[in-house]
Amino acid sequence: MFPHNVITEDTSTSPLVLLATMEAAHRQAHQDLELVHRQIASRAERLTITRKAKPWSRCSDWSNGTRSDERMFTITSIA
C-alpha cells in the first residue's frame, strides 16, 4: 500500500527522488481509492438487485410499516 522506502527529515536525497517517491505514493493511493470505489459500487448494485428480487411481505394492516416496526409489533403482541 505504501512505498517501501520511508523518507524522513534526516534523509539527504535529491528533490527528484523525493518527487518520484511522492508521485508513486500518489499513484498507489489513487489506485487503492479506485478499488474501494468499485467495491462499493458493486455492493450497492448487488443490494439493489437483491432487494428488487426479494421483496418482503408487510403486515396487511400497516401501509407504511417498516421491518423494525413489524418486529416490534410481533414482540409486543406476543407478550
Side-chain angles (χ1 to χ4, degrees), residues 63-78:
S63 60
N64 293 326
T66 63
R67 290 182 189 183
S68 61
D69 293 336
E70 190 173 13
R71 278 195 301 271
M72 184 58 113
F73 177 76
T74 306
I75 291 170
T76 56
S77 63
I78 294 173

Side-chain angles (χ1 to χ4, degrees), residues 4-24:
H4 294 289
N5 47 347
V6 177
I7 298 174
T8 62
E9 293 178 19
D10 300 340
T11 309
S12 59
T13 55
S14 73
L16 292 177
V17 172
L18 292 172
L19 180 61
T21 304
M22 288 171 28
E23 288 174 342

Side-chain angles (χ1 to χ4, degrees), residues 6-68:
V6 177
I7 298 174
T8 62
E9 293 178 19
D10 300 340
T11 309
S12 59
T13 55
S14 73
L16 292 177
V17 172
L18 292 172
L19 180 61
T21 304
M22 288 171 28
E23 288 174 342
H26 180 264
R27 276 193 305 274
Q28 186 63 47
H30 183 72
Q31 289 173 351
D32 293 343
L33 288 174
E34 285 294 319
L35 174 65
V36 170
H37 183 266
R38 285 192 306 270
Q39 289 173 339
I40 290 171
S42 296
R43 178 167 164 72
E45 185 178 355
R46 284 192 311 272
L47 289 174
T48 301
I49 292 169
T50 303
R51 287 230 170 105
K52 286 182 181 177
K54 298 180 181 178
W56 62 280
S57 62
R58 292 184 179 187
C59 182
S60 61
D61 297 339
W62 293 4
S63 60
N64 293 326
T66 63
R67 290 182 189 183
S68 61

